Amino acid sequence: MEIYDITQTLREGIAVWPGDEVYSLRWNMRLHDGDSCNVSSLRMSTHTGTHLDAPFHFDDSGADIATVDLSSCLGPARVVEMDVATCIRAEDLSALDWSGVERVLFRTSAGDLPEGTWHGGFVHLTEEAAELLGSKGLRLVGIDTPSVDRADSRELPVHKALLRCGITILEGARLAGVAPGDYELICLPLKIAGGDGSPVRAILRRQQRS
């Protein structure tokens, strides 16, 4: 069985949304200081690196990350390469075969960019594309960029359209080196009460052909 780790590594210097909490790790106990063990603490945004958005991220009455439907976070998924410069439009998606697709991960040019630098001109979805995906009955939409909406969006129409359709959103996946095709996705969030999102350890698995 082939396993692809599509998670960004949480580390000092990982790129975060401008103005968001910078990731940091602090040591509370260290063996080399004479303590009984190594113990660290983390400080970061819940949207650092590869992460899931909860409905509560955009709706005060929406489900928090502790109560999202985990069944959307694991199961069959299709990786689709999108060779577009700025945005994924409905017309880019309408020609694709969506039969049997429950989860989709969009691989864009972002996969080749370093994780430690913020790139504001990333590929995003249009609202019409989000509505089309909603009509397909998908359970999860993922992308290898920081957001499904454009970087300067204030209304965040793509997020809201996907969440209205009950679609879980995975952002910041690392899909470089992952060929387009069908896999099994696993991307479980931390169970954070009242959380608006959570980093995940996301993997893709594919059975090797005999």
Side-chain angles (χ1 to χ4, degrees):
M1 177 182 292
E2 296 176 288
I3 297 179
Y4 300 88
D5 187 350
I6 60 169
T7 316
Q8 294 187 52
T9 301
L10 295 175
R11 65 182 188 279
E12 302 284 346
I14 188 173
V16 300
W17 201 275
D20 209 348
E21 186 76 43
V22 175
Y23 172 89
S24 64
L25 181 148
R26 182 172 67 88
W27 289 104
N28 303 323
M29 300 172 64
R30 294 304 304 268
L31 285 168
H32 65 58
D33 291 333
D35 294 317
S36 60
C37 57
N38 291 319
V39 178
S40 61
S41 58
L42 299 176
R43 186 180 179 97
M44 63 178 176
S45 165
T46 54
H47 300 270
T48 302
T50 308
H51 66 276
L52 289 179
D53 288 345
F56 180 62
H57 190 33
F58 303 101
D59 181 358
D60 279 338
S61 63
D64 67 5
I65 199 66
T67 56
V68 297
D69 181 5
L70 295 182
S71 64
S72 65
C73 303
L74 68 163
R78 180 167 296 172
V79 174
V80 176
E81 184 168 14
M82 301 303 300
D83 185 16
V84 297
T86 58
C87 62
I88 299 171
R89 304 167 299 169
E91 48 264 44
D92 299 318
L93 303 176
S94 58
L96 301 178
D97 179 12
W98 293 99
S99 57
V101 179
E102 299 180 23
R103 299 162 190 83
V104 64
L105 303 177
F106 292 117
R107 194 181 83 175
T108 74
S109 56
D112 298 322
L113 299 175
E115 296 176 5
T117 304
W118 173 257
H119 302 276
F122 54 78
V123 173
H124 58 278
L125 295 164
T126 65
E127 185 175 4
E128 293 75 20
E131 296 288 354
L132 185 147
L133 293 171
S135 72
K136 302 299 182 182
L138 298 181
R139 306 191 67 179
L140 179 142
V141 168
I143 197 165
D144 60 1
T145 66
S147 176
V148 291
D149 272 294
R150 56 189 293 170
D152 61 354
S153 174
R154 300 289 295 177
E155 297 299 322
L156 304 172
V158 175
H159 281 87
K160 293 174 181 177
L162 293 175
L163 292 174
R164 277 197 308 270
C165 296
I167 296 176
T168 299
I169 300 171
L170 172 67
E171 295 169 325
R174 296 296 289 178
L175 297 172
V178 178
D182 293 323
Y183 300 82
E184 178 192 15
L185 170 69
I186 302 173
C187 59
L188 299 175
L190 299 174
K191 195 174 184 179
I192 305 170
D196 55 286
S198 171
V200 298
R201 184 65 178 264
I203 66 169
L204 292 171
R205 300 195 301 185
R206 182 155 64 178
Q207 296 287 344
Q208 292 179 334
R209 294 185 178 88
S210 57

